[in-house]
Amino acid sequence: MEVILVPAFADNYIYVLRDAASGKVGVVDPGDAAPVQAELERRGWSLTHIFLTHHHDDHIGGAEELKARYRASVVGARADAHRIPGLDVMLGDGDRTVFGEQTARVFTVPGHTSGHIAFWFEAAETLFSGDTLFSLGCGRLFEGTPAQMWDSLQNLRSLTDSTRVYCGHEYTQSNGRFALTVDPDNAALHQRMEEVAALRERNQPTIPTTIGMERRTNPFLRADDPGVQSAIGMSGAPSVEVFAELRRRKDHFRG
């Protein structure tokens, strides 16, 4: 499955997908229709599927226009049917949806929003995590609790190490600056930040990351790690409490 990054707004990523075997073309979280249309026209493709992870406008703002233009099927969370217009396929945790020769498993991952879902294309080892899991970070808790988000992140970190992670925003460098304050002795994190700095210097994306990389470097996936717990003065504390403290610190971080 081919995945094309389409930048939008200040730091969003929209993803255009193509299943080579069937020729089906999808888009994930089209907050803006215009750059998606431009990419499709440049490649001579017609859109068949629109995948939505959550209801925020910077992720769904272009969906209705794209649906009307291409008669594409809109796929999203059953729990968000009341606030995502035009849903054709409504899914919940554990459901599967077919995209050409590919099949995506749906994870319900509340925390950032109450109805947030993620799409994992198992055969392609590709995850679209929206604003739940970021490279070196996680989403703010606008509608969920720390316990919900910690559970959601544990579900995603259980995927294969080689799973590529495509998230909603280019936040890696700022996330990493925070990560170094709560995991300062992590050699893998320091190396990752050097790679990130080089990529951003060339104005290149830091996405995709991988589940394996995030398991080693993302403090929000490591709230149960003794090193992270010790660094923030919470050795032996329940993991959900450590996660909550990490999220609280990130919310107030200015680095």
Side-chain angles (χ1 to χ4, degrees):
M1 186 172 70
E2 185 176 2
V3 181
I4 299 156
L5 280 67
V6 179
F9 310 123
D11 51 34
N12 279 68
Y13 284 132
I14 300 169
Y15 299 105
V16 172
L17 325 177
R18 184 174 183 272
D19 173 51
S22 65
K24 299 290 186 182
V25 177
V27 65
V28 179
D29 286 354
D32 187 2
V36 177
Q37 291 178 15
E39 188 67 31
L40 294 173
E41 290 172 7
R42 187 173 74 83
R43 295 175 178 272
W45 294 349
S46 183
L47 192 66
T48 58
H49 293 71
I50 300 170
F51 298 98
L52 304 176
T53 64
H54 65 293
H55 72 90
H56 286 162
D57 192 59
D58 63 324
H59 291 254
I60 71 168
E64 287 188 282
E65 183 177 344
L66 292 169
K67 177 180 179 176
R69 182 181 181 91
Y70 297 101
R71 299 183 179 180
S73 177
V74 180
V75 183
R78 184 179 298 109
D80 270 345
H82 64 292
R83 55 185 181 180
I84 297 180
L87 278 181
D88 298 301
V89 180
M90 303 179 194
L91 302 169
D93 193 54
D95 288 343
R96 298 179 185 273
T97 187
V98 175
F99 171 60
E101 297 298 313
Q102 306 286 334
T103 300
R105 176 183 170 185
V106 172
F107 287 86
T108 297
V109 285
H112 181 65
T113 67
S114 59
H116 203 303
I117 59 175
F119 297 94
W120 182 45
F121 289 85
E122 184 172 3
E125 288 193 301
T126 299
L127 173 71
F128 296 97
S129 60
D131 287 359
T132 296
L133 173 63
F134 291 127
S135 174
L136 300 181
C138 74
R140 286 180 177 267
L141 306 184
F142 289 126
E143 298 176 7
T145 66
Q148 287 177 315
M149 182 63 108
W150 175 235
D151 284 346
S152 296
L153 292 174
Q154 287 182 90
N155 284 334
L156 296 184
R157 78 173 183 178
S158 71
L159 300 177
T160 58
D161 276 2
S162 52
T163 292
R164 296 174 298 166
V165 180
Y166 293 91
C167 56
H169 295 269
E170 181 56 70
Y171 288 165
T172 308
Q173 198 160 39
S174 60
N175 285 342
R177 286 193 288 267
F178 169 76
L180 287 169
T181 70
V182 296
D183 198 9
D185 298 325
N186 187 331
L189 174 58
H190 283 276
Q191 182 177 348
R192 172 68 169 149
M193 284 300 287
E194 291 177 5
E195 296 167 354
V196 166
L199 288 168
R200 298 311 293 157
E201 181 70 23
R202 301 192 297 271
N203 200 32
Q204 293 181 355
T206 63
I207 308 302
T209 180
T210 66
I211 290 293
M213 175 63 73
E214 295 309 302
R215 285 171 61 88
R216 294 190 297 273
T217 60
N218 187 331
F220 294 101
L221 295 187
R222 303 176 65 242
D224 51 1
D225 183 275
V228 173
Q229 293 183 354
S230 176
I232 66 170
M234 295 185 70
S235 293
S239 300
V240 67
E241 293 180 12
V242 177
F243 172 80
E245 175 62 15
L246 290 169
R247 187 61 258 179
R248 186 193 68 79
R249 292 189 186 195
K250 180 63 167 65
D251 289 344
H252 296 92
F253 181 71
R254 298 291 181 268

